[in-house]
């Protein structure tokens, strides 16, 4: 169920479910949230619109997050470690 997915992602991000799905666009919250959009998108059955609905976002936000995380993964070793930690 999507509520379990959001709760697990929030716990891993160190945020509340409300922070993860809310309208807060501060850099620390947004950066942690985008990792989770991407991680959840890795599920073979999860489309960008579905992931967007789970997190209260539009599918274009999920697609943009995927691009941003891929860019940061290639440039920032700390980002690579953070994504790896989320995936475990």
């Amino acid at each position: 169920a999507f509520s379990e997915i959001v709760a697990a992602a929030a716990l891993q991000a160190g945020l509340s479910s409300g922070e993860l799905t809310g309208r807060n666009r501060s850099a620390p919250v947004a950066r942690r949230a985008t990792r989770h959009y991407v991680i959840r998108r890795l599920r073979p059955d999860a489309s960008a619109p579905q992931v967007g609905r789970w997190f209260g976002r539009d599918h274009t936000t999920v697609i943009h997050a995927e691009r941003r995380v891929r860019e940061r993964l290639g440039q920032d070793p700390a980002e690579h470690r953070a994504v790896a930690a989320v995936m475990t």
Side-chain angles (χ1 to χ4, degrees):
F2 82 93
S3 61
E4 295 169 355
I5 292 168
V6 172
L11 181 65
Q12 288 176 328
L15 301 169
S16 70
S17 293
E19 288 173 311
L20 194 60
T21 60
R23 293 288 157 206
N24 186 343
R25 299 286 196 252
S26 69
V29 171
R31 191 164 200 159
R32 285 184 280 174
T34 57
R35 289 182 195 131
H36 288 281
Y37 303 157
V38 172
I39 301 311
R40 300 305 166 213
R41 179 84 163 93
L42 294 175
R43 289 179 44 150
D45 61 334
S47 66
Q50 186 175 27
V51 173
R53 283 191 300 274
W54 290 339
F55 291 97
R57 300 290 187 262
D58 185 79
H59 73 282
T60 59
T61 301
V62 175
I63 293 167
H64 178 72
E66 290 173 358
R67 287 186 197 130
R68 293 288 309 221
V69 170
R70 279 193 199 108
E71 288 172 9
R72 287 194 304 254
L73 284 173
Q75 300 168 356
D76 185 358
E79 183 73 12
H80 195 285
R81 287 189 300 275
V83 169
V86 168
M87 294 181 74
T88 60

